[in-house]
């Protein structure tokens, strides 16, 4: 069975292997219940048979939107490889256990930032944030940084994946995978 998530995994590994900066960055589009779209980059943290996982603040705009409208889309682009991957599907907030595992794997500075900076909230200035960070760092000392209650992992369960590969003759390869009962239907699209 030709599995698009396995193929996406191979492309990611090749992008990392080629030393591309932000190889795991994907542009994630969400939409409000009324259909108003918004998009931003997030970093893919895990890819397996169940889908694509990223981590984020659970109070932010993207999670508010995907809670009211779980349909999302995400796009990767690896310029020097001439490749784009598009994913569409349903997003769900994953379990606490996965959030804690992925939080523990973050560098300490990222962990502290997740506590000190309330993503998306208006701030007076950067100094106030820096003070908050330093205070927290001193309070925790050498101890571990706990995973914030409202920080988590989101899984995208795809039902449509398109792998686009540039060709010198402009006949770029667009391979579309659509989820069907028990597997994937693969077709080729005109570029
Ligand atoms: C390369 C790159 C990777 C990023 N990765 C993440 C990420 O994994 N999670 C996240 O919450 N924000 C990430 N951000 C910040 C988001 O783009 C965005 O500013 C933030 O999540 C707030 O989005 P929202 O207000 O729509 O929820 C990243 C930004 C860049 C430029």
């Amino acid at each position: 069975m030709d599995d698009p998530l396995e193929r996406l995994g191979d492309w990611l590994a090749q992008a990392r292997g080629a030393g591309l900066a932000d190889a795991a960055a994907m542009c994630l589009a969400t939409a409000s219940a009324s259909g108003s779209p918004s998009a931003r980059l997030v970093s893919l943290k895990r890819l397996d048979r169940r889908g694509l996982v990223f981590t984020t603040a659970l109070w932010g705009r993207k999670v508010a939107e995907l809670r009211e409208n779980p349909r999302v889309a995400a796009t990767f682009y690896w310029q020097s490889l001439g490749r784009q991957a598009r994913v569409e599907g349903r997003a769900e907030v994953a379990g606490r256990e996965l959030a804690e595992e992925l939080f523990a794997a973050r560098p300490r500075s990222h962990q502290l930032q997740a506590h000190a900076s309330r993503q998306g909230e208006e701030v007076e200035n950067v100094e106030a944030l820096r003070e908050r960070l330093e205070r927290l760092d001193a309070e925790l000392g050498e101890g571990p940084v706990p995973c914030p209650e409202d920080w988590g992992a989101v899984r995208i369960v795809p039902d449509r994946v398109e792998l686009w590969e540039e060709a010198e003759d402009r006949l770029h390869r667009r391979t579309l995978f659509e989820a069907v009962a028990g597997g994937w239907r693969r077709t080729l699209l005109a570029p």
Side-chain angles (χ1 to χ4, degrees), residues 22 25 40-43 45 55-57 60-62 119:
D22 292 320
R40 79 290 287 153
L41 289 175
V42 293
S43 306
K45 292 286 164 22
T55 56
T56 193
R61 179 175 177 186
K62 69 179 91 50
Q119 190 178 75

Side-chain angles (χ1 to χ4, degrees), residues 9-72:
D10 290 345
W11 278 20
L12 269 163
Q14 287 157 13
R16 288 199 180 100
L20 299 193
D22 292 320
M26 54 179 177
C27 182
L28 171 78
T30 53
S32 66
S34 64
S36 217
S38 67
R40 79 290 287 153
L41 289 175
V42 293
S43 306
L44 180 74
K45 292 286 164 22
R46 181 162 294 181
L47 173 67
D48 58 27
R49 295 190 65 79
R50 296 171 67 192
L52 296 83
V53 174
F54 64 92
T55 56
T56 193
L58 296 179
W59 64 84
R61 179 175 177 186
K62 69 179 91 50
V63 175
E65 290 185 354
L66 65 85
R67 283 193 204 274
E68 58 182 60
N69 173 6
R71 294 295 309 175
V72 299

Side-chain angles (χ1 to χ4, degrees), residues 40-175:
R40 79 290 287 153
L41 289 175
V42 293
S43 306
L44 180 74
K45 292 286 164 22
R46 181 162 294 181
L47 173 67
D48 58 27
R49 295 190 65 79
R50 296 171 67 192
L52 296 83
V53 174
F54 64 92
T55 56
T56 193
L58 296 179
W59 64 84
R61 179 175 177 186
K62 69 179 91 50
V63 175
E65 290 185 354
L66 65 85
R67 283 193 204 274
E68 58 182 60
N69 173 6
R71 294 295 309 175
V72 299
T75 304
F76 297 86
Y77 178 48
W78 302 287
Q79 187 192 26
S80 61
L81 300 180
R83 286 174 174 174
Q84 169 184 246
R86 297 170 60 180
V87 171
E88 291 168 37
R90 188 172 42 78
E92 59 193 25
V93 176
R96 178 75 186 160
E97 206 175 306
L98 180 59
E100 291 192 356
E101 180 191 330
L102 295 174
F103 189 80
R106 285 162 76 87
R108 188 181 167 87
S109 60
H110 292 211
Q111 294 176 333
L112 289 170
Q113 190 255 11
H115 279 273
S117 156
R118 297 289 298 172
Q119 190 178 75
E121 281 185 11
E122 266 190 49
V123 286
E124 282 283 300
N125 51 49
V126 178
E127 273 319 304
L129 281 180
R130 189 167 297 122
E131 274 171 30
R132 222 185 291 169
L133 257 182
E134 286 169 358
R135 207 169 334 118
L136 192 66
D137 196 14
E139 273 168 25
L140 288 167
E142 295 296 302
V145 184
C147 177
E149 285 301 322
D150 46 9
W151 187 93
V154 173
R155 177 177 289 111
I156 303 171
V157 181
D159 49 38
R160 189 181 165 102
V161 177
E162 184 195 312
L163 302 176
W164 183 102
E165 214 167 4
E166 193 171 8
E168 276 181 18
D169 57 6
R170 305 287 303 162
L171 297 179
H172 311 310
R173 237 32 76 75
R174 292 181 65 188
T175 311

